Amino acid sequence: VIGRKFLTKDFDHLLNFFLIQYTLILAKLRVSDKFEDLLVITHGYDYTIPSGDRNPFKSIIRAIEQNGQWIHYPLKDKGITDPEHQRSIVAAMIDGFNELLIRLAEYKDQQGIYLFPRHIHIDYRGFVAEEEWLDELHPNSKGFSRVAQRMMDCIEEYYGQ
């Protein structure tokens, strides 16, 4: 909740833009006879941990890829240096995006029929453990393995395998 107060109307406009884009893509797939059995999976990020830690002993990737460039330093440049505020801003953004995709996956017409029945959303929020982050944006091998397995389980469940 604290993080939401930091977000501007520009973020809401961005979410609306995403909603329009996803809706257009899903609508085109729905009316196409080429993709009758195509499963569309959307997902959002888990709650990333803003960090400027570039310690090469933790991960050479953190040093090479300049950990912090995506979230930590842009927030710091805006004067947001409190780690809890940074995390709460990221959480508010991730919540907004995930909730948009969930609403889209659950959208029904007036007769109660799913508008996009082959679209499902995998919610990864809270899924990657704190020790499974490689850097501030990407899970490490163990974290990605669990993310991929969850995706595979979803695909296998949909296609009945």
Side-chain angles (χ1 to χ4, degrees):
V1 176
I2 292 171
R4 184 70 184 131
K5 76 177 185 176
F6 288 95
L7 301 180
T8 66
K9 291 221 180 279
D10 289 339
F11 181 72
D12 294 328
H13 295 311
L14 180 63
L15 287 180
N16 286 331
F17 173 76
F18 288 152
L19 177 62
I20 291 166
Q21 294 298 312
Y22 276 91
T23 302
L24 289 172
I25 290 167
L26 291 169
K28 281 191 151 207
L29 290 171
R30 183 176 187 215
V31 299
S32 173
D33 57 356
K34 295 179 184 178
F35 306 106
E36 289 179 11
D37 198 31
L38 176 70
L39 173 63
V40 177
I41 299 174
T42 56
H43 66 86
Y45 276 91
D46 192 352
Y47 297 119
T48 63
I49 303 168
S51 170
D53 181 2
R54 295 183 178 175
N55 183 345
F57 295 106
K58 283 188 181 176
S59 167
I60 194 70
I61 303 282
R62 286 183 180 217
I64 294 171
E65 295 296 324
Q66 298 183 340
N67 189 45
Q69 68 180 336
W70 301 287
I71 304 169
H72 175 76
Y73 289 110
L75 288 172
K76 189 176 176 184
D77 290 347
K78 295 280 187 187
I80 303 165
T81 57
D82 182 304
E84 288 307 310
H85 284 167
Q86 289 182 347
R87 283 180 87 152
S88 114
I89 291 166
V90 169
M93 294 172 74
I94 287 169
D95 284 343
F97 185 61
N98 273 282
E99 294 304 322
L100 175 148
L101 294 173
I102 289 168
R103 281 194 321 270
L104 194 56
E106 295 175 348
Y107 189 75
K108 296 179 182 179
D109 66 14
Q110 292 176 340
Q111 288 78 35
I113 298 169
Y114 285 105
L115 195 56
F116 307 115
R118 295 180 319 251
H119 168 222
I120 55 177
H121 179 72
I122 300 176
D123 192 343
Y124 285 111
R125 291 177 289 180
F127 187 74
V128 179
E130 192 150 341
E131 68 276 3
E132 292 178 335
W133 289 98
L134 176 67
D135 58 31
E136 70 170 352
L137 199 57
H138 304 96
N140 62 21
S141 295
K142 181 180 178 188
F144 261 127
S145 177
R146 289 186 341 99
V147 165
Q149 186 59 56
R150 190 167 186 188
M151 179 92 50
M152 290 301 301
D153 292 345
C154 181
I155 293 167
E156 288 172 2
E157 180 180 325
Y158 179 81
Y159 288 110
Q161 297 182 16

